[in-house]
Amino acid sequence: MNLRGGWVGVAVALVWVGLIFGAYFALSLRHQVLAKLSELIR
Amino acid sequence: MPTFPLDILIALFAVVAAWGVGRGILRRLPLGNTTWAEQAVLALGLGLALIVLLMMVLGFAGLYSQLQAWLMLAGLGLAGVVSQAKGDLAGVVSANGADAVWRRLRTAGWPFLLLAAVLLVYGIGYLAAALAPTLEGDSIAGYLLTAREYARQGGIVSVDYAYTNTYPANGQMLSTLGFLLRGQVLAQIMVVWVPGLLGAATVYALGRRWFSRRAALFAVVVWYGMYSVGYLAASGKIDLAWAAFDLLAILAFARWYFAREGERSWGWLVVAGLFLGIAGGTKQASLFTAVTMAMGIAFKLWRDGSFRPRAIVQSYLVIGLPAAVALVWVVRSYTLSDAGFFTGEELPGETGITGYFRVLWDMSMLGNTSSTEGPAGKPIGPSVLASVPLVLLLRDVDRRLWHILAFCGLMSAMWYFGVQRARHFLPTLGLLSLVAGYVVMSFLDRKPRLGQALVTLVAAALVLNLAVWAYINFVSIQRAPYILGMQTKDEYLAENLLEQGWYPNHTVTSYALGLPQDARIAGLSVGSGFYLERPLYTGWAQTPAEVPDAAAFYGLLRSSGITHVFINDFVVRQRHYEQAWLAQPPFQAEYLEQLVCDNGQCLYAVR
């Protein structure tokens, strides 16, 4: 294992990457949905 | 018939001429060994820097003309050919040969083929965006406006209705060349697409030198695929030209900084200074790069035990003298406005320690200025934020990485107290993309599954970003019919200006073409008068609280030489100008004569 913290390090990396990309895709989706909704309402 | 092939051909000729002459200069500099990637970007960078300097001299001398532009380019091309004839062109061709590229593609794993494919699509998309007249606000209110006027008036003149009039204009030297040689599309290619590719190639050259080919490729895709870069690619702004020259300065400085004591060539500092001068004369944010480099020089001299007055003065002079070329624009700015620098202090931004992290988060998500700069902001995407902190989990990290991160840290601190926009941070984002590349490649080597997951997520984010960018630039704005020659420029503007409520619409711009050449139009705010073809002076939003008498305000208009007035109801509503004299119907009835009105936009003649 050449990561700091062994499997804990892997877990930390997974959580961090998941958090950032999860937030990005969720926010993008929300933005697209809101944009579509506002277009429909208008 | 589409006309873009000719624009691309001329741009290609300019690039080859610049590269040829740049290679000749490069060979005469005492720089030691260089990789082919470094040679390629340094040669093109030096050639473009020479074009910028020549255009600056010719512009201040008032010698611009189409003939001059072609003669200059032909001269550079000839100089390039002569210089290549004396050198080892065969070596360059074989080093860049198709065989080597194919061999590398065959041996690369799927993650890299995926990234290379995404990069190719971005490059073609950005080129296509540059092939139609831009509708980007800052470009048509300032950057392209000044360049077009320089070309029309035969020199660098004061364009007092462009908001960029007093800004440094090295970037406009490239777009002015495009206007002189052919027109707006070539100007956009020269100031946006070519420098964008040069910036991306410089990130690659940096990564190739200090890390690995794979890390370099990853970094290039992440940097080039940022929405902030994509936004600029569809504009006529100068930020990508700035980023390319600033990155070249960083590349040269890094060769000096990371060289062993005794092997350090002063030639690299000269080259860094020259590129810093060109970058600083394009956008003054290079001052941050200069300050950080100055600290780097002091640190290196101290570490080597040569922190003595003579060595200090020598090092700073070697980099500072060529960089001083940027001061030309500072002096011009003082002569025009009594202010030499753009501080951006009136722009909204975050404050405090938590604000620093908020700006990084927002910039990585949907953009940190979504409220003021459009619905999607201009984000950089999540890849840098997701990857760079993982460096803390790696053992046996290349020591240079910490120096690069320290450089980025200092740059980000200064940027935070300046203008908090991604486009003011592009060179540092290039370095951070390299760190991200290093981290992801380390994970691919050490934890392949995790590394592959990271590459897949980055590619997914890039594809999503590309989809949004393509929708905005090819569906919301219909560029394809113009590019393919199915529409004239007039038809293209008629269709697309309808959607842009902030800008003068096609009815108004068409009418304005018939106004006298010396017409001067007053507006409330939001210039964007590029397609009006007549000067649009903004800032005429005075209310009775400022000028109590209608007759006095009318007198002010007349004494300023204003002949016409443009009122856009959309802007009046958005910016709350209802109280302004120009927006009041009684004032309009008494002092103005309506010429044309369409879709809430009216053009008047001053009685």
Side-chain angles (χ1 to χ4, degrees):
Chain A
M1 180 64 68
N2 38 23
L3 282 188
R4 288 184 200 281
W7 288 108
V8 176
V10 175
V12 169
L14 277 172
V15 169
W16 178 253
V17 170
L19 174 76
I20 301 298
F21 279 100
Y24 178 74
F25 288 123
L27 284 169
S28 296
L29 190 68
R30 184 170 144 255
H31 177 75
Q32 299 304 323
V33 171
L34 285 179
K36 198 75 202 166
L37 276 177
S38 69
E39 207 175 278
L40 287 175
I41 291 164
R42 216 179 320 136
Chain B
M1 271 288 284
T3 57
F4 70 84
L6 195 54
D7 290 297
I8 295 176
L9 265 178
I10 298 173
L12 214 60
F13 175 58
V15 165
V16 172
W19 175 81
V21 81
R23 212 173 121 73
I25 299 169
L26 193 60
R27 207 178 295 122
R28 283 160 184 79
L29 291 169
L31 300 178
N33 70 315
T34 46
T35 63
W36 73 261
E38 284 173 335
Q39 278 181 30
V41 295
L42 287 168
L44 180 55
L46 285 169
L48 289 178
L50 184 62
I51 287 179
V52 167
L53 292 173
L54 285 172
M55 287 293 289
M56 195 201 289
V57 172
L58 292 165
F60 281 119
L63 292 174
Y64 285 161
S65 70
Q66 193 177 38
L67 180 68
Q68 163 269 312
W70 278 111
L71 282 177
M72 185 186 80
L73 218 53
L76 288 177
L78 200 65
V81 169
V82 171
S83 123
Q84 297 318 310
K86 288 181 187 166
D88 176 23
L89 187 62
V92 178
V93 174
S94 68
N96 297 298
D99 283 355
V101 173
W102 280 118
R103 199 169 52 247
R104 275 167 201 160
L105 279 177
R106 276 204 306 274
T107 52
W110 68 263
F112 301 100
L113 291 178
L114 179 68
L115 292 174
V118 171
L119 183 64
L120 189 67
V121 175
Y122 266 103
I124 294 169
Y126 289 174
L127 175 61
L131 296 179
T134 183
L135 298 175
E136 195 277 328
D138 287 355
S139 314
I140 61 176
Y143 293 101
L144 274 187
L145 200 55
T146 44
R148 186 183 66 186
E149 288 311 305
Y150 296 162
R152 276 185 181 168
Q153 299 191 35
I156 297 169
V157 293
S158 174
V159 186
D160 58 357
Y161 51 94
Y163 87 98
T164 52
N165 187 33
T166 60
Y167 292 6
N170 276 350
Q172 280 95 323
M173 296 300 96
L174 295 173
S175 40
T176 302
L177 179 66
F179 275 113
L180 286 170
L181 292 170
R182 192 163 149 76
Q184 186 180 352
V185 167
L186 185 59
Q188 290 172 185
I189 295 175
M190 289 302 294
V191 77
V192 169
W193 192 67
V194 170
L197 280 184
L198 178 60
T202 307
V203 172
Y204 182 85
L206 273 160
R208 183 79 190 78
R209 159 67 58 180
W210 303 115
F211 301 125
S212 67
R213 194 175 289 128
R214 301 187 314 162
L217 175 65
F218 183 92
V220 171
V221 190
V222 166
W223 186 80
Y224 203 54
M226 289 176 178
Y227 190 86
S228 182
V229 171
Y231 178 86
L232 294 165
S235 78
K237 295 180 78 168
I238 45 75
D239 302 70
L240 287 177
W242 167 68
F245 287 122
D246 206 70
L247 276 164
L248 282 165
I250 291 171
L251 180 143
F253 180 76
R255 286 297 309 267
W256 178 86
Y257 183 86
F258 286 131
R260 287 191 197 90
E261 193 189 355
E263 291 176 15
R264 238 172 252 141
S265 166
W266 57 266
W268 284 113
L269 279 188
V270 174
V271 175
L274 174 68
F275 283 129
L276 205 55
I278 302 294
T282 307
K283 197 174 174 74
Q284 289 169 336
S286 275
L287 192 62
F288 299 156
T289 317
V291 170
T292 314
M293 282 181 183
M295 291 159 105
I297 291 172
F299 174 75
K300 214 61 192 173
L301 292 178
W302 170 72
R303 280 287 292 266
D304 292 349
S306 46
F307 198 69
R308 288 182 291 274
R310 188 184 163 85
I312 295 167
V313 170
Q314 259 178 358
S315 302
Y316 285 133
L317 276 182
V318 165
I319 192 170
L321 282 178
V325 73
L327 294 177
V328 169
W329 297 109
V330 177
V331 172
R332 178 178 182 263
S333 187
Y334 264 117
T335 60
L336 291 174
S337 70
D338 292 335
F341 296 94
F342 171 73
T343 59
E345 60 190 357
E346 76 281 8
L347 293 169
E350 298 285 352
T351 52
I353 299 286
T354 54
Y356 176 77
F357 293 100
R358 203 161 37 240
V359 84
L360 293 183
W361 173 267
D362 286 346
M363 194 167 72
S364 304
M365 295 295 137
L366 296 185
N368 57 318
T369 55
S370 54
S371 59
T372 56
E373 293 195 352
K378 282 132 194 162
I380 62 167
S383 308
V384 168
L385 189 61
S387 314
V388 170
L390 299 185
V391 71
L392 296 172
L393 294 174
L394 297 175
R395 291 185 203 278
D396 307 324
V397 173
D398 188 322
R399 68 172 179 85
R400 286 183 289 248
L401 206 73
W402 303 117
H403 290 257
I404 293 173
L405 280 172
F407 186 92
C408 294
L410 286 167
M411 290 289 283
S412 77
M414 285 186 277
W415 163 80
Y416 180 65
F417 292 108
V419 182
Q420 295 166 6
R421 302 288 182 273
R423 65 177 184 275
H424 292 247
F425 201 44
L426 283 176
T428 310
L429 288 172
L431 293 180
L432 286 170
S433 300
L434 276 172
V435 176
Y438 176 88
V439 170
V440 172
M441 293 316 121
S442 300
F443 271 89
L444 267 175
D445 291 340
R446 302 172 193 192
K447 291 276 163 212
R449 290 274 170 82
L450 193 53
Q452 286 170 359
L454 255 171
V455 172
T456 309
L457 284 168
V458 167
L462 286 166
V463 170
L464 175 68
N465 177 61
L466 184 65
V468 173
W469 178 85
Y471 186 87
I472 291 171
N473 287 290
F474 290 97
V475 179
S476 295
I477 298 173
Q478 284 286 321
R479 282 182 158 91
Y482 174 83
I483 296 169
L484 297 173
M486 291 150 61
Q487 266 183 350
T488 62
K489 184 177 172 184
D490 199 49
E491 290 164 340
Y492 165 81
L493 292 175
E495 181 177 346
N496 290 295
L497 281 174
L498 263 181
E499 309 287 325
Q500 313 286 332
W502 291 96
Y503 313 153
N505 65 29
H506 184 251
T507 308
V508 172
T509 54
S510 301
Y511 194 94
L513 288 177
L515 297 180
Q517 286 293 332
D518 59 352
R520 289 159 68 93
I521 306 171
L524 293 164
S525 74
V526 187
S528 310
F530 183 82
Y531 297 114
L532 270 177
E533 302 274 348
R534 298 290 181 276
L536 172 59
Y537 289 89
T538 54
W540 287 94
Q542 290 83 352
T543 63
E546 292 153 270
V547 185
D549 184 39
F553 183 68
Y554 170 73
L556 207 59
L557 282 174
R558 299 292 296 186
S559 64
S560 303
I562 297 296
T563 56
H564 295 78
V565 167
F566 169 65
I567 299 296
N568 182 347
D569 289 347
F570 177 76
V571 174
V572 171
R573 281 195 305 277
Q574 293 288 324
R575 296 269 167 97
H576 310 294
Y577 287 136
E578 290 83 359
Q579 297 305 312
W581 280 117
L582 286 184
Q584 291 188 21
F587 180 87
Q588 294 171 355
E590 189 171 353
Y591 295 105
L592 307 177
E593 180 192 344
Q594 187 178 301
L595 298 176
V596 66
C597 239
D598 178 46
N599 213 19
Q601 297 191 7
C602 296
L603 191 64
Y604 302 88
V606 178
R607 287 186 200 276

